[in-house]
Amino acid sequence: MTHFIPSRFRSFRLVAVALLLVAAGVWLFALPLLRAPAVAAARPLGFRAAMLAASIMLFFPPLVLLGMVTPYAVKLRARSLGEVGRSAGDLYAVSTLASVAAALLTGFVLVPSFGLGQLTAAIGVVLLATGLVCLPWKTKEPLLAGGVGDPAHPFSNESQSAREGLLVQEGGGAVMERSATAPRWFVYLAVVVNGGGILAVEILGARLLAPFYGSGLYLWSALIGVALLALS
């Protein structure tokens, strides 16, 4: 049996990556304004519970948004099911390296050199700009010889959704996915900005909440727990 996914769902992956970055950037712009109301709302819970609640309210949403970027990027990068594993490994490696670089740069250079408000806004600008730059780009789908995407195929005049289906029946009953792909530079740019943004948000979170809760073990435990929950 041949399965088809209309092209609008493939295009959604590309748009989703851009919109996730834009939404995360907008949230970071609002973060300094949201900090005081979130801390005030959590205060009745007691010191430790309030710390955890404030961390969730302020940093769970942007980390969830950023955590969704790489899985979409993997689907955009892979051209077939056989490439998914390699693409995922490559992109997660790039994301990890970007996170390490962002952690060192933010902790040793940016935080000591700039105010928290300016730094938070700058990271928001980077996320927002990356998303907006990537929005106009369209995905490309390779044609498979003898497949539905091949103009020589007997059903090449069928409906657009049929011609652009994702899954194509091949000989022997095996099913192969035809993933729409995006420009390589876009995928890697999105993953680098995303990986760096995740670690930067965690470090900024500690600095933004330190005036209210200190910078000790409890705060870092709350932030790391929120980050792991958001990224899981």
Side-chain angles (χ1 to χ4, degrees), residues 7 13 19 34 77 113 139 141 150 154 196 202 210:
S7 60
R13 292 186 185 127
L19 292 182
L34 297 173
R77 182 69 187 90
S113 302
T139 55
E141 182 181 0
D150 190 341
E202 292 184 53

Side-chain angles (χ1 to χ4, degrees), residues 14-153:
L14 181 61
V15 175
V17 170
L19 292 182
L20 288 169
L21 293 172
V22 168
V26 171
W27 186 275
L28 285 187
F29 273 115
L31 200 53
L33 300 177
L34 297 173
R35 177 177 59 169
V39 170
R43 187 172 294 118
L45 300 176
F47 181 75
R48 296 182 186 177
M51 184 187 308
L52 179 59
S55 299
I56 292 173
M57 286 187 285
L58 292 173
F59 304 109
F60 186 79
L63 288 173
V64 166
L65 293 170
L66 293 174
M68 295 170 65
V69 169
T70 302
Y72 277 118
V74 170
K75 295 296 293 181
L76 287 170
R77 182 69 187 90
R79 292 179 176 271
S80 68
L81 286 176
E83 293 185 8
V84 170
R86 184 177 62 185
S87 297
D90 291 345
L91 292 179
Y92 276 102
V94 170
S95 178
T96 300
L97 291 176
S99 296
V100 172
L104 296 175
L105 184 64
T106 303
F108 287 96
V109 179
L110 299 180
V111 170
S113 302
F114 301 96
L116 286 179
Q118 292 179 329
L119 185 55
T120 303
I123 296 173
V125 167
V126 172
L127 293 171
L128 186 63
T130 303
L132 292 177
V133 165
C134 298
L135 270 176
W137 291 87
K138 297 181 180 180
T139 55
K140 299 183 297 182
E141 182 181 0
L143 297 178
L144 299 181
V148 178
D150 190 341
H153 191 276

